[in-house]
């Protein structure tokens, strides 16, 4: 499954998809309020149906991207656009988390994710433009 010609790119895809599936996509899809508590979010009193709905939508979208990316692990060189997509997602998520930190609207665990998303963004773009080009 790991491409011997581009092992760093294959490993990046394998590790990032596994990590995000386990810690984000699957919990958001199946146990969104429990996931929120794990990450230190204070749940609003009353009806949380909209919160659960949006969390499940985000989890489903994340899982869809992960399933698509997994297909490219064996041949990352032929699917360069996936690294651009991961870089874009990482960059936008970095900005979202910085905004939440500046506005003091998120628990510390979300602020701690800023370097993670930044590293994913930079790693994906490095692999795309420096390693696979």
């Amino acid at each position: 499954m790991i491409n011997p010609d581009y092992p760093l790119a294959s490993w990046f895809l394998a590790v990032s998809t596994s990590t995000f599936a386990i810690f984000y996509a699957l919990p958001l899809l199946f146990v969104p309020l429990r996931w929120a508590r794990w990450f230190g979010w204070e749940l609003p009193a009353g009806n949380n149906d909209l919160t659960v709905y949006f969390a499940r939508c985000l989890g489903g979208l994340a899982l869809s991207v992960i399933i698509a990316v997994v297909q490219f692990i064996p041949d990352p060189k032929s699917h360069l656009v996936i690294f651009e997509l991961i870089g874009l997602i990482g960059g936008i998520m970095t900005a979202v988390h910085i905004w939440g930190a500046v506005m003091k609207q998120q628990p510390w665990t979300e602020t701690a994710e800023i370097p993670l998303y930044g590293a994913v963004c930079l790693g994906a773009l490095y692999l795309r433009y420096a390693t696979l080009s």
Side-chain angles (χ1 to χ4, degrees):
M1 181 173 214
I2 300 299
N3 187 306
D5 296 326
Y6 303 101
L8 185 59
S10 287
W11 277 111
F12 174 83
L13 295 178
V15 170
S16 62
T17 55
S18 300
T19 301
F20 278 90
I22 292 167
F23 292 104
Y24 298 96
L26 292 172
L28 280 170
L29 186 59
F30 295 112
V31 289
L33 296 181
R34 187 177 309 159
W35 176 91
R37 284 188 214 96
W38 291 338
F39 277 76
W41 286 97
E42 187 176 316
L43 299 178
N47 187 326
N48 286 315
D49 290 346
L50 183 61
T51 303
V52 170
Y53 171 76
F54 279 131
R56 287 194 171 141
C57 288
L58 180 60
L61 179 61
L63 191 58
S64 299
V65 171
I66 288 166
I67 290 167
V69 171
V70 166
Q71 299 174 62
F72 307 135
I73 294 170
D75 190 16
K77 175 77 171 171
S78 296
H79 306 284
L80 298 178
V81 72
I82 201 65
F83 292 93
E84 295 169 9
L85 176 63
I86 294 169
L88 184 60
I89 291 169
I92 290 173
M93 292 302 288
T94 300
V96 165
H97 283 72
I98 289 171
W99 181 262
V102 169
M103 300 302 291
K104 300 182 186 325
Q105 297 174 326
Q106 64 194 27
W108 71 269
T109 53
E110 297 296 330
T111 301
E113 290 176 358
I114 293 169
L116 168 71
Y117 285 116
V120 167
C121 173
L122 294 175
L125 296 177
Y126 170 79
L127 288 167
R128 164 60 180 94
Y129 292 105
T131 304
L132 298 171
S133 290

